[in-house]
Amino acid sequence: MSFLKETLKEAVLAPMVRGSELAFRQLVRKHGVKVCYSPMLRAEEVIDAYKKWKRGASSISDFRHEDGALLFHDICLDKDILVIQLCGSDASDLYEATVILLELQISQDLQLIGIDLNLGCPQKCAEDGNFGAFLVENYPDLAIECVSSMRKAIDLFEKSVQGRDKLGYKKPFLSCKMRLLESNEETISFGKRLEDTGIDMLAVHCRHRIDKFGGEAIISSGKKLVESLSIPIIINGENIRNLEDVETLIEETKAHGCMVARAFLQNPCLLNNSACIDPSFLASNYLDYVEQFPPPSPLYIQKHLRWIYRIYLQPKKNEILDYENWKHRLWKFLARPYLSELEQFRHFIALYSKLNKSPLPESLSYIKDPSFHSIRHHKLQDDDVDSDEGFGDAFNTQAIELLFHS
């Protein structure tokens, strides 16, 4: 567990639903990020997908839930170091899902350095599923039971691997990601309970559940947690703009590392001061990785492009949406459900460069006259697309409006 031995001076890519998939992980790795978290996987969906995979399932549409596609069409293709995040509130499911990830670590030759439990999600899905921050606040004893079951799974699996003489197996660390509780005392008390389960590391998002992702992060509370626990702590929630901000945060808090989410979504190369941050170049580079590692659905691409172009296109607060304004129109256009082909997204980038009178990435120089019309109608014919390549349509029915709140 070399990751835990020395304090990091760099940022860690946070686990993000439809945000930290393989294509994006590869992009931030290109610009210096060494440790990445997978998107959150539901324990019960990992179990279901694994059973289907063992019975021969292979294409995206074979899995009933997006998590199954993520596991076998994203995570199992990743050969760089990775931390996989699980969520759930059933200790037995989390035990089984942890064992499955460990089995895949061996059979798929994954560089799995850690398994994490989500104890910090503040969204409605977490409330409905009784996981994340809601599990900690409403059923703290059950949360501890869940973590303990994962600890047991990892420890017992190590013994079984030794018995099977599996050379090269490296035991992954166990971590949790939580949020601040109502008081510093409660946060520290629960952090110590997690430490007592035997976790190797703890990440803390320095906001309360009700704050979600808004407001100023309370970094002083994270610092107190660092001072109170003996295990490594990663701080999340600060407004990070560059590598210097990362180093300053670590120095001020004495944390083990700094976890970054939205800042990477806006600027995937924020650790690389020499990289071009023009949005069209960032988006084009991302699409190059999408071509190599297609995500489960186009919703991933729409989310990433909306983050990359957000500060350039999104109407200001209280500003009325004006379709005569090309920036407003392009911003709204990016969430259209008929945007599903890689070529459409490339035409979108070219149209932005054209209307903004900014340089066009060389890889898109073949696009001569992009327009809203060309994006809308630039869809490949069904008979030209291999259903097992590119994007699956199994998850496209999910509400596109989620993109406006991502």
Side-chain angles (χ1 to χ4, degrees), residues 119-320:
L119 295 177
C121 182
Q123 304 287 41
K124 185 65 166 58
C125 62
E127 182 178 16
D128 294 341
N130 190 36
F131 64 83
F134 295 93
L135 177 62
V136 173
E137 294 183 13
N138 298 330
Y139 304 98
D141 291 343
L142 178 57
I144 295 299
E145 181 184 347
C146 289
V147 178
S148 297
S149 72
M150 295 173 68
R151 176 77 277 166
K152 181 179 178 181
I154 293 174
D155 292 343
L156 290 179
F157 189 84
E158 182 185 31
K159 294 179 181 179
S160 73
V161 168
Q162 292 171 349
R164 289 184 283 174
D165 192 29
K166 292 289 185 180
L167 299 177
Y169 171 76
K170 295 182 180 180
K171 181 180 181 180
F173 64 74
L174 175 63
S175 63
C176 298
K177 185 171 186 284
M178 65 175 288
R179 281 183 172 247
L180 300 178
L181 297 176
E182 189 169 345
S183 67
N184 285 336
E185 291 74 22
E186 288 179 87
T187 302
I188 293 170
S189 175
F190 188 74
K192 288 183 175 179
R193 292 188 68 186
L194 289 172
E195 185 176 42
D196 289 342
T197 67
I199 63 171
D200 302 295
M201 186 181 72
L202 177 63
V204 56
H205 187 131
C206 294
R207 291 184 177 88
H208 297 96
R209 175 183 56 78
I210 59 173
D211 297 326
K212 292 192 175 181
F213 305 100
E216 187 175 348
I218 311 173
I219 299 302
S220 59
S221 294
K223 182 178 180 180
K224 289 181 178 179
L225 191 63
V226 173
E227 295 168 348
S228 302
L229 273 61
S230 59
I231 58 175
I233 307 291
I234 290 183
I235 298 291
N236 179 218
E238 181 62 307
N239 181 24
I240 299 297
R241 299 174 300 276
N242 49 49
L243 178 58
E244 289 71 27
D245 288 345
V246 172
E247 294 173 340
T248 298
L249 177 66
I250 293 173
E251 180 61 31
E252 290 179 353
T253 63
K254 307 305 179 186
H256 183 71
C258 172
M259 182 174 283
V260 178
R262 293 188 168 199
F264 271 138
L265 292 177
Q266 287 187 316
N267 179 12
C269 58
L270 67 85
L271 299 187
N272 184 354
N273 293 332
S274 64
C276 175
I277 59 171
D278 178 274
S280 292
F281 284 84
L282 293 176
S284 179
N285 287 339
Y286 168 65
L287 293 186
D288 288 342
Y289 284 111
V290 166
E291 187 170 22
Q292 296 178 58
F293 308 105
S297 90
L299 296 180
Y300 288 73
I301 307 175
Q302 288 174 302
K303 177 173 181 174
H304 280 295
L305 264 60
R306 284 177 67 83
W307 270 105
I308 290 172
Y309 283 101
R310 183 173 297 249
I311 62 174
Y312 305 96
L313 297 178
Q314 186 180 34
K316 301 295 186 290
K317 188 176 181 180
N318 300 323
E319 186 178 4
I320 298 175

Side-chain angles (χ1 to χ4, degrees), residues 28-53:
V28 297
R29 284 165 175 158
K30 174 184 177 181
H31 294 289
V33 177
K34 294 183 175 64
V35 178
C36 297
Y37 279 61
S38 75
M40 176 187 75
L41 297 175
R42 298 171 188 264
E44 65 271 21
E45 298 300 339
V46 169
I47 297 168
D48 178 77
Y50 185 71
K51 291 177 180 177
K52 285 183 169 62
W53 179 72

Side-chain angles (χ1 to χ4, degrees), residues 314-327:
Q314 186 180 34
K316 301 295 186 290
K317 188 176 181 180
N318 300 323
E319 186 178 4
I320 298 175
L321 189 67
D322 179 10
Y323 276 93
E324 296 300 317
N325 183 322
W326 70 264
K327 292 184 177 181

Side-chain angles (χ1 to χ4, degrees), residues 334-351:
L334 188 51
R336 298 302 186 197
Y338 46 73
L339 293 183
S340 61
E341 301 294 339
L342 186 58
E343 195 62 21
Q344 289 181 293
F345 293 109
R346 285 178 167 147
H347 273 247
F348 173 92
I349 295 171
L351 179 57

